[in-house]
Amino acid sequence: MADRAPELADRAPEMADRAPEMADRAPEMADRAAEMADRAPELADRASEMADRAPELADRTSNWQQEAMRRSSTSWLFAKHHINLCRTILLP
């Protein structure tokens, strides 16, 4: 824990800002504690599987982001072209 002290110190302001939210969620978290404890072995068993899949999921996320940017760019260009076409037709 001592090796994480600088990181935790850097995050202290963020955590202080979130303290009221966490306090509001405390009853919900307490209610779910038993469920989480029951699932702990299952999640521990799946940890290596999830770690193995992390690069694949990162690639897929990157691909989705690139596709979204491409579509956004294409939509923007289409809209710009459409506006210019309307100006040409409607304006003398």
Side-chain angles (χ1 to χ4, degrees):
M1 203 58 152
D3 58 329
R4 293 193 60 206
E7 173 193 348
L8 296 173
D10 288 345
R11 293 188 62 203
E14 172 193 345
M15 301 312 279
D17 289 345
R18 293 189 63 200
E21 173 193 346
M22 298 315 252
D24 289 344
R25 293 187 62 202
E28 173 193 345
M29 294 292 115
D31 290 344
R32 293 189 63 202
E35 173 191 345
M36 293 289 111
D38 289 344
R39 291 193 61 206
E42 170 196 347
L43 296 174
D45 289 344
R46 294 186 62 202
S48 64
E49 172 192 344
M50 293 294 112
D52 291 345
R53 290 193 62 205
E56 170 198 347
L57 297 174
D59 286 346
R60 288 172 62 186
T61 301
S62 176
N63 290 340
W64 291 336
Q65 289 173 335
Q66 290 173 1
E67 180 66 16
M69 288 174 57
R70 186 188 66 77
R71 288 182 183 204
S72 175
S73 175
T74 301
S75 297
W76 182 82
L77 288 173
F78 177 78
K80 183 178 175 185
H81 174 72
H82 186 55
I83 290 167
N84 288 335
L85 183 60
C86 289
R87 283 182 182 157
T88 303
I89 293 170
L90 299 174
L91 296 176

